[in-house]
Amino acid sequence: MNNPFMARAIELAIRNVREGGGPFGAVVVREQRIISEGVNRVTFTNDPTAHAEMMAIREACRKLDRFELSGCEIYCSCEPCPMCFGGVYWARLDRVYFGCAAIDAANAGFDDSFIYSEITAPLSQRQIPLIQMERDAALEAFRAWENSPNKTPY
Amino acid sequence: MNNPFMARAIELAIRNVREGGGPFGAVVVREQRIISEGVNRVTFTNDPTAHAEMMAIREACRKLDRFELSGCEIYCSCEPCPMCFGGVYWARLDRVYFGCAAIDAANAGFDDSFIYSEITAPLSQRQIPLIQMERDAALEAFRAWENSPNKTPY
């Protein structure tokens, strides 16, 4: 094991399993120093969004007091699921390093690959139905945003 | 506007813009009653994961005291981004109703569609590099999970 940040992400994942949590860990690194750590807390906190990467991203933003993480990298014990992948993009991390692949997670019973296949399927063929309605009314929210004098773009 | 839940999601989005937040709202509904509401709090809370859908999902789980939302539906003022889409799947919501499409969000400056195109691109062609390393060491976390006597599968 040559990379200390990946080693730490894996160590966090294994320790979390011992504590009864999911087998995932992540660390956010800036200028070769760890600024936040996260483990999967879904079942402990009753929060399906509490994946290791999301926890590490949120904690890093709290510490840096900003809502994006450009200049930072994330090390994940496993390839991020689509939710965490989206989080990485919104956080504008520079780079992602991962250990296990999504297929390894699937083999262990965490079926990220199902979500990846769903996300690329046409809306009409999704297993969770996505139904559009009331678009004209909903566009009012974007019109309000465009006309707002006190918005913070991101 | 015929659907009261979508009307509420849109109302939340517009009100959030007036308060300086992003133009997004969402409600989680169970048995025809709203059990949680969310708005985009990214810039208020310095949390890039604080999208309306994620906030509503997390709040619904807190209220129901469980980590999944089967039997519930979510109404979103806009089509969920890949992060929120992943959150919907992990939360096991029954159905998603959305108002604006992802292209409407892109036109207003929120480029979910960039993430959607990235997520389907080969790893080698992603704009944010994803680099695998240390897979063998990382697999130890899944082995620990498989052998753990006190895990909570989800």
PDB file of all heavy atoms in Angstrom, chain A residues 2 40 47 58 85 89 96 98-99 104 118 126 129 131-133 135 154, chain B residues 40 47 58 85 89 96 98-99 104 118 126 129 131-133 135 154:
ATOM      1  N   ASN A   2       0.971   1.924  -1.130  1.00  0.00           N
ATOM      2  CA  ASN A   2       1.900   3.042  -1.231  1.00  0.00           C
ATOM      3  C   ASN A   2       1.258   4.399  -0.973  1.00  0.00           C
ATOM      4  O   ASN A   2       1.929   5.338  -0.610  1.00  0.00           O
ATOM      5  CB  ASN A   2       2.515   3.066  -2.644  1.00  0.00           C
ATOM      6  CG  ASN A   2       3.349   1.825  -2.880  1.00  0.00           C
ATOM      7  OD1 ASN A   2       4.168   1.463  -2.035  1.00  0.00           O
ATOM      8  ND2 ASN A   2       3.134   1.176  -4.006  1.00  0.00           N
ATOM      9  N   ASN A  40     -19.592   5.457   5.787  1.00  0.00           N
ATOM     10  CA  ASN A  40     -21.007   5.248   5.500  1.00  0.00           C
ATOM     11  C   ASN A  40     -21.811   5.186   6.804  1.00  0.00           C
ATOM     12  O   ASN A  40     -21.583   4.312   7.645  1.00  0.00           O
ATOM     13  CB  ASN A  40     -21.155   3.939   4.716  1.00  0.00           C
ATOM     14  CG  ASN A  40     -22.593   3.680   4.298  1.00  0.00           C
ATOM     15  OD1 ASN A  40     -23.462   3.505   5.135  1.00  0.00           O
ATOM     16  ND2 ASN A  40     -22.829   3.655   3.000  1.00  0.00           N
ATOM     17  N   ASP A  47     -30.196   7.781   7.329  1.00  0.00           N
ATOM     18  CA  ASP A  47     -30.039   8.780   6.265  1.00  0.00           C
ATOM     19  C   ASP A  47     -29.464   8.083   5.027  1.00  0.00           C
ATOM     20  O   ASP A  47     -28.272   7.769   4.981  1.00  0.00           O
ATOM     21  CB  ASP A  47     -29.101   9.891   6.741  1.00  0.00           C
ATOM     22  CG  ASP A  47     -28.882  10.954   5.676  1.00  0.00           C
ATOM     23  OD1 ASP A  47     -29.370  10.799   4.539  1.00  0.00           O
ATOM     24  OD2 ASP A  47     -28.196  11.950   5.992  1.00  0.00           O
ATOM     25  N   ARG A  58     -19.187  17.041   2.688  1.00  0.00           N
ATOM     26  CA  ARG A  58     -19.901  18.008   3.538  1.00  0.00           C
ATOM     27  C   ARG A  58     -18.986  18.532   4.655  1.00  0.00           C
ATOM     28  O   ARG A  58     -18.979  19.725   4.959  1.00  0.00           O
ATOM     29  CB  ARG A  58     -21.168  17.378   4.102  1.00  0.00           C
ATOM     30  CG  ARG A  58     -22.133  16.946   2.985  1.00  0.00           C
ATOM     31  CD  ARG A  58     -23.352  16.231   3.536  1.00  0.00           C
ATOM     32  NE  ARG A  58     -24.177  17.148   4.278  1.00  0.00           N
ATOM     33  CZ  ARG A  58     -25.040  16.772   5.208  1.00  0.00           C
ATOM     34  NH1 ARG A  58     -25.186  15.508   5.511  1.00  0.00           N
ATOM     35  NH2 ARG A  58     -25.763  17.676   5.830  1.00  0.00           N
ATOM     36  N   PHE A  85     -21.102  10.485  -7.101  1.00  0.00           N
ATOM     37  CA  PHE A  85     -20.496  11.028  -8.307  1.00  0.00           C
ATOM     38  C   PHE A  85     -21.068  12.419  -8.585  1.00  0.00           C
ATOM     39  O   PHE A  85     -20.337  13.370  -8.894  1.00  0.00           O
ATOM     40  CB  PHE A  85     -20.803  10.065  -9.465  1.00  0.00           C
ATOM     41  CG  PHE A  85     -20.207  10.454 -10.766  1.00  0.00           C
ATOM     42  CD1 PHE A  85     -18.944  10.030 -11.125  1.00  0.00           C
ATOM     43  CD2 PHE A  85     -20.910  11.247 -11.655  1.00  0.00           C
ATOM     44  CE1 PHE A  85     -18.394  10.395 -12.342  1.00  0.00           C
ATOM     45  CE2 PHE A  85     -20.372  11.611 -12.870  1.00  0.00           C
ATOM     46  CZ  PHE A  85     -19.111  11.189 -13.216  1.00  0.00           C
ATOM     47  N   TYR A  89     -19.165  16.236  -8.520  1.00  0.00           N
ATOM     48  CA  TYR A  89     -19.247  17.273  -9.549  1.00  0.00           C
ATOM     49  C   TYR A  89     -19.729  18.598  -8.974  1.00  0.00           C
ATOM     50  O   TYR A  89     -19.175  19.652  -9.267  1.00  0.00           O
ATOM     51  CB  TYR A  89     -20.142  16.814 -10.707  1.00  0.00           C
ATOM     52  CG  TYR A  89     -19.334  16.099 -11.755  1.00  0.00           C
ATOM     53  CD1 TYR A  89     -18.968  14.769 -11.569  1.00  0.00           C
ATOM     54  CD2 TYR A  89     -18.871  16.746 -12.882  1.00  0.00           C
ATOM     55  CE1 TYR A  89     -18.186  14.102 -12.491  1.00  0.00           C
ATOM     56  CE2 TYR A  89     -18.087  16.090 -13.816  1.00  0.00           C
ATOM     57  CZ  TYR A  89     -17.751  14.772 -13.621  1.00  0.00           C
ATOM     58  OH  TYR A  89     -16.961  14.128 -14.537  1.00  0.00           O
ATOM     59  N   VAL A  96     -10.715  12.272  -8.555  1.00  0.00           N
ATOM     60  CA  VAL A  96     -11.233  11.191  -7.709  1.00  0.00           C
ATOM     61  C   VAL A  96     -10.306   9.978  -7.828  1.00  0.00           C
ATOM     62  O   VAL A  96     -10.024   9.529  -8.937  1.00  0.00           O
ATOM     63  CB  VAL A  96     -12.646  10.756  -8.170  1.00  0.00           C
ATOM     64  CG1 VAL A  96     -13.167   9.607  -7.304  1.00  0.00           C
ATOM     65  CG2 VAL A  96     -13.612  11.931  -8.160  1.00  0.00           C
ATOM     66  N   PHE A  98     -10.153   5.989  -6.579  1.00  0.00           N
ATOM     67  CA  PHE A  98     -10.996   4.973  -5.936  1.00  0.00           C
ATOM     68  C   PHE A  98     -10.303   3.628  -5.922  1.00  0.00           C
ATOM     69  O   PHE A  98      -9.462   3.337  -6.777  1.00  0.00           O
ATOM     70  CB  PHE A  98     -12.367   4.892  -6.612  1.00  0.00           C
ATOM     71  CG  PHE A  98     -12.354   4.429  -8.053  1.00  0.00           C
ATOM     72  CD1 PHE A  98     -12.528   3.081  -8.358  1.00  0.00           C
ATOM     73  CD2 PHE A  98     -12.182   5.327  -9.093  1.00  0.00           C
ATOM     74  CE1 PHE A  98     -12.534   2.640  -9.684  1.00  0.00           C
ATOM     75  CE2 PHE A  98     -12.169   4.894 -10.419  1.00  0.00           C
ATOM     76  CZ  PHE A  98     -12.349   3.554 -10.714  1.00  0.00           C
ATOM     77  N   GLY A  99     -10.657   2.785  -4.931  1.00  0.00           N
ATOM     78  CA  GLY A  99     -10.067   1.459  -4.780  1.00  0.00           C
ATOM     79  C   GLY A  99     -10.867   0.404  -5.530  1.00  0.00           C
ATOM     80  O   GLY A  99     -10.570   0.052  -6.656  1.00  0.00           O
ATOM     81  N   ASP A 104     -17.375  -4.529  -7.841  1.00  0.00           N
ATOM     82  CA  ASP A 104     -17.025  -5.144  -6.555  1.00  0.00           C
ATOM     83  C   ASP A 104     -18.097  -4.834  -5.510  1.00  0.00           C
ATOM     84  O   ASP A 104     -18.457  -5.687  -4.698  1.00  0.00           O
ATOM     85  CB  ASP A 104     -15.670  -4.614  -6.061  1.00  0.00           C
ATOM     86  CG  ASP A 104     -14.544  -4.926  -7.042  1.00  0.00           C
ATOM     87  OD1 ASP A 104     -14.519  -6.042  -7.583  1.00  0.00           O
ATOM     88  OD2 ASP A 104     -13.702  -4.039  -7.275  1.00  0.00           O
ATOM     89  N   GLU A 118     -29.945   2.377 -14.716  1.00  0.00           N
ATOM     90  CA  GLU A 118     -31.210   3.108 -14.724  1.00  0.00           C
ATOM     91  C   GLU A 118     -31.028   4.537 -15.230  1.00  0.00           C
ATOM     92  O   GLU A 118     -31.858   5.078 -15.959  1.00  0.00           O
ATOM     93  CB  GLU A 118     -31.786   3.170 -13.302  1.00  0.00           C
ATOM     94  CG  GLU A 118     -32.498   1.922 -12.876  1.00  0.00           C
ATOM     95  CD  GLU A 118     -33.894   1.836 -13.469  1.00  0.00           C
ATOM     96  OE1 GLU A 118     -34.768   2.596 -13.077  1.00  0.00           O
ATOM     97  OE2 GLU A 118     -34.077   0.978 -14.354  1.00  0.00           O
ATOM     98  N   ARG A 126     -37.711   3.300 -16.967  1.00  0.00           N
ATOM     99  CA  ARG A 126     -37.126   3.245 -15.635  1.00  0.00           C
ATOM    100  C   ARG A 126     -37.974   2.379 -14.695  1.00  0.00           C
ATOM    101  O   ARG A 126     -39.193   2.355 -14.803  1.00  0.00           O
ATOM    102  CB  ARG A 126     -37.034   4.656 -15.041  1.00  0.00           C
ATOM    103  CG  ARG A 126     -36.233   5.642 -15.884  1.00  0.00           C
ATOM    104  CD  ARG A 126     -34.770   5.609 -15.554  1.00  0.00           C
ATOM    105  NE  ARG A 126     -34.036   6.542 -16.388  1.00  0.00           N
ATOM    106  CZ  ARG A 126     -33.749   7.817 -16.034  1.00  0.00           C
ATOM    107  NH1 ARG A 126     -34.128   8.282 -14.868  1.00  0.00           N
ATOM    108  NH2 ARG A 126     -33.059   8.597 -16.840  1.00  0.00           N
ATOM    109  N   PRO A 129     -40.739   5.001 -11.678  1.00  0.00           N
ATOM    110  CA  PRO A 129     -41.305   5.905 -12.691  1.00  0.00           C
ATOM    111  C   PRO A 129     -40.945   7.368 -12.417  1.00  0.00           C
ATOM    112  O   PRO A 129     -41.003   7.826 -11.269  1.00  0.00           O
ATOM    113  CB  PRO A 129     -42.818   5.689 -12.546  1.00  0.00           C
ATOM    114  CG  PRO A 129     -42.962   4.369 -11.867  1.00  0.00           C
ATOM    115  CD  PRO A 129     -41.764   4.232 -10.976  1.00  0.00           C
ATOM    116  N   ILE A 131     -42.197  10.999 -13.760  1.00  0.00           N
ATOM    117  CA  ILE A 131     -43.340  11.521 -14.498  1.00  0.00           C
ATOM    118  C   ILE A 131     -43.303  13.043 -14.474  1.00  0.00           C
ATOM    119  O   ILE A 131     -43.268  13.652 -13.401  1.00  0.00           O
ATOM    120  CB  ILE A 131     -44.648  11.007 -13.848  1.00  0.00           C
ATOM    121  CG1 ILE A 131     -44.649   9.466 -13.892  1.00  0.00           C
ATOM    122  CG2 ILE A 131     -45.870  11.586 -14.555  1.00  0.00           C
ATOM    123  CD1 ILE A 131     -45.483   8.829 -12.811  1.00  0.00           C
ATOM    124  N   GLN A 132     -43.296  13.647 -15.650  1.00  0.00           N
ATOM    125  CA  GLN A 132     -43.292  15.117 -15.696  1.00  0.00           C
ATOM    126  C   GLN A 132     -44.722  15.654 -15.639  1.00  0.00           C
ATOM    127  O   GLN A 132     -45.638  15.064 -16.204  1.00  0.00           O
ATOM    128  CB  GLN A 132     -42.607  15.611 -16.977  1.00  0.00           C
ATOM    129  CG  GLN A 132     -42.400  17.129 -16.976  1.00  0.00           C
ATOM    130  CD  GLN A 132     -41.486  17.618 -18.087  1.00  0.00           C
ATOM    131  OE1 GLN A 132     -41.304  16.949 -19.095  1.00  0.00           O
ATOM    132  NE2 GLN A 132     -40.911  18.795 -17.895  1.00  0.00           N
ATOM    133  N   MET A 133     -44.890  16.780 -14.966  1.00  0.00           N
ATOM    134  CA  MET A 133     -46.197  17.445 -14.889  1.00  0.00           C
ATOM    135  C   MET A 133     -45.978  18.930 -14.634  1.00  0.00           C
ATOM    136  O   MET A 133     -44.939  19.321 -14.108  1.00  0.00           O
ATOM    137  CB  MET A 133     -47.065  16.864 -13.759  1.00  0.00           C
ATOM    138  CG  MET A 133     -46.443  16.978 -12.378  1.00  0.00           C
ATOM    139  SD  MET A 133     -47.641  16.785 -11.010  1.00  0.00           S
ATOM    140  CE  MET A 133     -48.083  15.078 -11.149  1.00  0.00           C
ATOM    141  N   ARG A 135     -45.093  21.656 -16.154  1.00  0.00           N
ATOM    142  CA  ARG A 135     -43.831  22.330 -16.480  1.00  0.00           C
ATOM    143  C   ARG A 135     -43.973  23.850 -16.511  1.00  0.00           C
ATOM    144  O   ARG A 135     -43.101  24.574 -16.020  1.00  0.00           O
ATOM    145  CB  ARG A 135     -43.295  21.826 -17.817  1.00  0.00           C
ATOM    146  CG  ARG A 135     -42.061  22.572 -18.296  1.00  0.00           C
ATOM    147  CD  ARG A 135     -41.395  21.930 -19.495  1.00  0.00           C
ATOM    148  NE  ARG A 135     -40.267  22.708 -19.953  1.00  0.00           N
ATOM    149  CZ  ARG A 135     -40.312  23.538 -20.998  1.00  0.00           C
ATOM    150  NH1 ARG A 135     -41.427  23.674 -21.696  1.00  0.00           N
ATOM    151  NH2 ARG A 135     -39.244  24.227 -21.338  1.00  0.00           N
ATOM    152  N   TYR A 154     -24.082  29.512  -8.441  1.00  0.00           N
ATOM    153  CA  TYR A 154     -23.070  28.508  -8.104  1.00  0.00           C
ATOM    154  C   TYR A 154     -22.984  27.462  -9.194  1.00  0.00           C
ATOM    155  O   TYR A 154     -23.837  27.389 -10.038  1.00  0.00           O
ATOM    156  CB  TYR A 154     -23.359  27.861  -6.743  1.00  0.00           C
ATOM    157  CG  TYR A 154     -24.593  26.985  -6.695  1.00  0.00           C
ATOM    158  CD1 TYR A 154     -24.525  25.623  -6.917  1.00  0.00           C
ATOM    159  CD2 TYR A 154     -25.833  27.547  -6.416  1.00  0.00           C
ATOM    160  CE1 TYR A 154     -25.642  24.831  -6.864  1.00  0.00           C
ATOM    161  CE2 TYR A 154     -26.960  26.762  -6.362  1.00  0.00           C
ATOM    162  CZ  TYR A 154     -26.876  25.396  -6.589  1.00  0.00           C
ATOM    163  OH  TYR A 154     -27.986  24.616  -6.543  1.00  0.00           O
TER     164      TYR A 154
ATOM    165  N   ASN B  40     -33.430  24.152  -1.827  1.00  0.00           N
ATOM    166  CA  ASN B  40     -31.989  24.168  -2.079  1.00  0.00           C
ATOM    167  C   ASN B  40     -31.295  25.095  -1.083  1.00  0.00           C
ATOM    168  O   ASN B  40     -31.561  26.301  -1.044  1.00  0.00           O
ATOM    169  CB  ASN B  40     -31.741  24.636  -3.518  1.00  0.00           C
ATOM    170  CG  ASN B  40     -30.282  24.614  -3.889  1.00  0.00           C
ATOM    171  OD1 ASN B  40     -29.480  25.336  -3.310  1.00  0.00           O
ATOM    172  ND2 ASN B  40     -29.929  23.788  -4.854  1.00  0.00           N
ATOM    173  N   ASP B  47     -23.043  23.738   1.679  1.00  0.00           N
ATOM    174  CA  ASP B  47     -23.154  22.285   1.524  1.00  0.00           C
ATOM    175  C   ASP B  47     -23.604  21.984   0.095  1.00  0.00           C
ATOM    176  O   ASP B  47     -24.778  22.142  -0.239  1.00  0.00           O
ATOM    177  CB  ASP B  47     -24.154  21.734   2.542  1.00  0.00           C
ATOM    178  CG  ASP B  47     -24.324  20.217   2.413  1.00  0.00           C
ATOM    179  OD1 ASP B  47     -23.724  19.599   1.502  1.00  0.00           O
ATOM    180  OD2 ASP B  47     -25.069  19.654   3.231  1.00  0.00           O
ATOM    181  N   ARG B  58     -33.914  13.384   3.404  1.00  0.00           N
ATOM    182  CA  ARG B  58     -33.305  13.225   4.732  1.00  0.00           C
ATOM    183  C   ARG B  58     -34.304  13.532   5.843  1.00  0.00           C
ATOM    184  O   ARG B  58     -34.369  12.832   6.853  1.00  0.00           O
ATOM    185  CB  ARG B  58     -32.065  14.119   4.843  1.00  0.00           C
ATOM    186  CG  ARG B  58     -30.989  13.738   3.801  1.00  0.00           C
ATOM    187  CD  ARG B  58     -29.802  14.676   3.849  1.00  0.00           C
ATOM    188  NE  ARG B  58     -29.057  14.494   5.079  1.00  0.00           N
ATOM    189  CZ  ARG B  58     -28.249  15.398   5.614  1.00  0.00           C
ATOM    190  NH1 ARG B  58     -28.074  16.551   5.008  1.00  0.00           N
ATOM    191  NH2 ARG B  58     -27.615  15.148   6.728  1.00  0.00           N
ATOM    192  N   PHE B  85     -31.054  11.952  -8.097  1.00  0.00           N
ATOM    193  CA  PHE B  85     -31.567  10.735  -8.704  1.00  0.00           C
ATOM    194  C   PHE B  85     -31.019   9.517  -7.958  1.00  0.00           C
ATOM    195  O   PHE B  85     -31.756   8.580  -7.621  1.00  0.00           O
ATOM    196  CB  PHE B  85     -31.148  10.722 -10.176  1.00  0.00           C
ATOM    197  CG  PHE B  85     -31.655   9.555 -10.947  1.00  0.00           C
ATOM    198  CD1 PHE B  85     -32.873   9.613 -11.588  1.00  0.00           C
ATOM    199  CD2 PHE B  85     -30.911   8.393 -11.032  1.00  0.00           C
ATOM    200  CE1 PHE B  85     -33.344   8.527 -12.301  1.00  0.00           C
ATOM    201  CE2 PHE B  85     -31.372   7.306 -11.754  1.00  0.00           C
ATOM    202  CZ  PHE B  85     -32.587   7.373 -12.384  1.00  0.00           C
ATOM    203  N   TYR B  89     -33.027   6.628  -5.537  1.00  0.00           N
ATOM    204  CA  TYR B  89     -32.905   5.174  -5.622  1.00  0.00           C
ATOM    205  C   TYR B  89     -32.499   4.559  -4.291  1.00  0.00           C
ATOM    206  O   TYR B  89     -33.058   3.558  -3.862  1.00  0.00           O
ATOM    207  CB  TYR B  89     -31.914   4.773  -6.729  1.00  0.00           C
ATOM    208  CG  TYR B  89     -32.616   4.621  -8.051  1.00  0.00           C
ATOM    209  CD1 TYR B  89     -32.951   5.736  -8.798  1.00  0.00           C
ATOM    210  CD2 TYR B  89     -33.015   3.384  -8.523  1.00  0.00           C
ATOM    211  CE1 TYR B  89     -33.638   5.623  -9.992  1.00  0.00           C
ATOM    212  CE2 TYR B  89     -33.699   3.258  -9.721  1.00  0.00           C
ATOM    213  CZ  TYR B  89     -34.003   4.370 -10.453  1.00  0.00           C
ATOM    214  OH  TYR B  89     -34.689   4.250 -11.632  1.00  0.00           O
ATOM    215  N   VAL B  96     -41.338   9.351  -8.833  1.00  0.00           N
ATOM    216  CA  VAL B  96     -40.858  10.736  -8.866  1.00  0.00           C
ATOM    217  C   VAL B  96     -41.734  11.542  -9.816  1.00  0.00           C
ATOM    218  O   VAL B  96     -41.924  11.141 -10.970  1.00  0.00           O
ATOM    219  CB  VAL B  96     -39.399  10.808  -9.375  1.00  0.00           C
ATOM    220  CG1 VAL B  96     -38.912  12.252  -9.429  1.00  0.00           C
ATOM    221  CG2 VAL B  96     -38.478   9.950  -8.520  1.00  0.00           C
ATOM    222  N   PHE B  98     -41.867  15.366 -11.504  1.00  0.00           N
ATOM    223  CA  PHE B  98     -41.040  16.572 -11.623  1.00  0.00           C
ATOM    224  C   PHE B  98     -41.694  17.582 -12.560  1.00  0.00           C
ATOM    225  O   PHE B  98     -42.461  17.210 -13.453  1.00  0.00           O
ATOM    226  CB  PHE B  98     -39.622  16.225 -12.082  1.00  0.00           C
ATOM    227  CG  PHE B  98     -39.519  15.639 -13.475  1.00  0.00           C
ATOM    228  CD1 PHE B  98     -39.293  16.470 -14.578  1.00  0.00           C
ATOM    229  CD2 PHE B  98     -39.630  14.277 -13.694  1.00  0.00           C
ATOM    230  CE1 PHE B  98     -39.176  15.940 -15.857  1.00  0.00           C
ATOM    231  CE2 PHE B  98     -39.528  13.740 -14.968  1.00  0.00           C
ATOM    232  CZ  PHE B  98     -39.298  14.568 -16.057  1.00  0.00           C
ATOM    233  N   GLY B  99     -41.377  18.870 -12.332  1.00  0.00           N
ATOM    234  CA  GLY B  99     -41.963  19.943 -13.141  1.00  0.00           C
ATOM    235  C   GLY B  99     -41.074  20.285 -14.335  1.00  0.00           C
ATOM    236  O   GLY B  99     -41.281  19.798 -15.439  1.00  0.00           O
ATOM    237  N   ASP B 104     -34.272  22.697 -18.802  1.00  0.00           N
ATOM    238  CA  ASP B 104     -34.709  23.992 -18.251  1.00  0.00           C
ATOM    239  C   ASP B 104     -33.728  24.470 -17.182  1.00  0.00           C
ATOM    240  O   ASP B 104     -33.401  25.663 -17.099  1.00  0.00           O
ATOM    241  CB  ASP B 104     -36.112  23.877 -17.652  1.00  0.00           C
ATOM    242  CG  ASP B 104     -37.140  23.436 -18.678  1.00  0.00           C
ATOM    243  OD1 ASP B 104     -37.092  23.937 -19.819  1.00  0.00           O
ATOM    244  OD2 ASP B 104     -37.996  22.593 -18.340  1.00  0.00           O
ATOM    245  N   GLU B 118     -21.412  13.338 -18.459  1.00  0.00           N
ATOM    246  CA  GLU B 118     -20.173  12.819 -17.879  1.00  0.00           C
ATOM    247  C   GLU B 118     -20.349  11.405 -17.338  1.00  0.00           C
ATOM    248  O   GLU B 118     -19.486  10.545 -17.487  1.00  0.00           O
ATOM    249  CB  GLU B 118     -19.719  13.730 -16.729  1.00  0.00           C
ATOM    250  CG  GLU B 118     -19.003  14.969 -17.172  1.00  0.00           C
ATOM    251  CD  GLU B 118     -17.557  14.682 -17.558  1.00  0.00           C
ATOM    252  OE1 GLU B 118     -16.737  14.383 -16.687  1.00  0.00           O
ATOM    253  OE2 GLU B 118     -17.275  14.761 -18.768  1.00  0.00           O
ATOM    254  N   ARG B 126     -13.527  11.393 -18.928  1.00  0.00           N
ATOM    255  CA  ARG B 126     -14.211  12.293 -18.005  1.00  0.00           C
ATOM    256  C   ARG B 126     -13.412  13.582 -17.791  1.00  0.00           C
ATOM    257  O   ARG B 126     -12.186  13.558 -17.790  1.00  0.00           O
ATOM    258  CB  ARG B 126     -14.392  11.606 -16.642  1.00  0.00           C
ATOM    259  CG  ARG B 126     -15.157  10.293 -16.697  1.00  0.00           C
ATOM    260  CD  ARG B 126     -16.635  10.474 -16.597  1.00  0.00           C
ATOM    261  NE  ARG B 126     -17.330   9.202 -16.659  1.00  0.00           N
ATOM    262  CZ  ARG B 126     -17.676   8.468 -15.583  1.00  0.00           C
ATOM    263  NH1 ARG B 126     -17.383   8.884 -14.366  1.00  0.00           N
ATOM    264  NH2 ARG B 126     -18.317   7.321 -15.725  1.00  0.00           N
ATOM    265  N   PRO B 129     -10.962  13.662 -13.601  1.00  0.00           N
ATOM    266  CA  PRO B 129     -10.341  12.340 -13.709  1.00  0.00           C
ATOM    267  C   PRO B 129     -10.768  11.405 -12.575  1.00  0.00           C
ATOM    268  O   PRO B 129     -10.820  11.824 -11.405  1.00  0.00           O
ATOM    269  CB  PRO B 129      -8.846  12.645 -13.620  1.00  0.00           C
ATOM    270  CG  PRO B 129      -8.709  14.085 -13.970  1.00  0.00           C
ATOM    271  CD  PRO B 129      -9.971  14.742 -13.503  1.00  0.00           C
ATOM    272  N   ILE B 131      -9.522   7.820 -11.100  1.00  0.00           N
ATOM    273  CA  ILE B 131      -8.337   6.981 -11.218  1.00  0.00           C
ATOM    274  C   ILE B 131      -8.415   5.845 -10.206  1.00  0.00           C
ATOM    275  O   ILE B 131      -8.549   6.093  -9.006  1.00  0.00           O
ATOM    276  CB  ILE B 131      -7.068   7.828 -10.978  1.00  0.00           C
ATOM    277  CG1 ILE B 131      -7.009   8.954 -12.016  1.00  0.00           C
ATOM    278  CG2 ILE B 131      -5.809   6.963 -11.029  1.00  0.00           C
ATOM    279  CD1 ILE B 131      -6.244  10.167 -11.570  1.00  0.00           C
ATOM    280  N   GLN B 132      -8.336   4.604 -10.702  1.00  0.00           N
ATOM    281  CA  GLN B 132      -8.386   3.471  -9.778  1.00  0.00           C
ATOM    282  C   GLN B 132      -6.997   3.143  -9.263  1.00  0.00           C
ATOM    283  O   GLN B 132      -6.011   3.244 -10.001  1.00  0.00           O
ATOM    284  CB  GLN B 132      -8.990   2.236 -10.463  1.00  0.00           C
ATOM    285  CG  GLN B 132      -9.251   1.086  -9.483  1.00  0.00           C
ATOM    286  CD  GLN B 132     -10.085  -0.036 -10.070  1.00  0.00           C
ATOM    287  OE1 GLN B 132     -10.175  -0.178 -11.276  1.00  0.00           O
ATOM    288  NE2 GLN B 132     -10.702  -0.829  -9.211  1.00  0.00           N
ATOM    289  N   MET B 133      -6.913   2.747  -7.999  1.00  0.00           N
ATOM    290  CA  MET B 133      -5.633   2.324  -7.400  1.00  0.00           C
ATOM    291  C   MET B 133      -5.921   1.371  -6.248  1.00  0.00           C
ATOM    292  O   MET B 133      -7.005   1.396  -5.676  1.00  0.00           O
ATOM    293  CB  MET B 133      -4.848   3.531  -6.864  1.00  0.00           C
ATOM    294  CG  MET B 133      -5.569   4.330  -5.803  1.00  0.00           C
ATOM    295  SD  MET B 133      -4.471   5.404  -4.833  1.00  0.00           S
ATOM    296  CE  MET B 133      -4.009   6.620  -6.024  1.00  0.00           C
ATOM    297  N   ARG B 135      -6.765  -1.703  -5.685  1.00  0.00           N
ATOM    298  CA  ARG B 135      -8.023  -2.457  -5.587  1.00  0.00           C
ATOM    299  C   ARG B 135      -7.922  -3.622  -4.603  1.00  0.00           C
ATOM    300  O   ARG B 135      -8.842  -3.858  -3.813  1.00  0.00           O
ATOM    301  CB  ARG B 135      -8.433  -2.974  -6.968  1.00  0.00           C
ATOM    302  CG  ARG B 135      -9.659  -3.872  -6.922  1.00  0.00           C
ATOM    303  CD  ARG B 135     -10.206  -4.184  -8.311  1.00  0.00           C
ATOM    304  NE  ARG B 135     -11.299  -5.128  -8.222  1.00  0.00           N
ATOM    305  CZ  ARG B 135     -11.191  -6.440  -8.469  1.00  0.00           C
ATOM    306  NH1 ARG B 135     -10.020  -6.962  -8.817  1.00  0.00           N
ATOM    307  NH2 ARG B 135     -12.239  -7.233  -8.342  1.00  0.00           N
ATOM    308  N   TYR B 154     -28.541  -3.158   3.578  1.00  0.00           N
ATOM    309  CA  TYR B 154     -29.538  -2.200   3.109  1.00  0.00           C
ATOM    310  C   TYR B 154     -29.509  -2.125   1.597  1.00  0.00           C
ATOM    311  O   TYR B 154     -28.584  -2.629   0.986  1.00  0.00           O
ATOM    312  CB  TYR B 154     -29.344  -0.820   3.730  1.00  0.00           C
ATOM    313  CG  TYR B 154     -28.096  -0.097   3.315  1.00  0.00           C
ATOM    314  CD1 TYR B 154     -28.122   0.789   2.226  1.00  0.00           C
ATOM    315  CD2 TYR B 154     -26.893  -0.287   3.972  1.00  0.00           C
ATOM    316  CE1 TYR B 154     -26.977   1.449   1.835  1.00  0.00           C
ATOM    317  CE2 TYR B 154     -25.760   0.370   3.588  1.00  0.00           C
ATOM    318  CZ  TYR B 154     -25.800   1.245   2.510  1.00  0.00           C
ATOM    319  OH  TYR B 154     -24.673   1.895   2.118  1.00  0.00           O
TER     320      TYR B 154
END
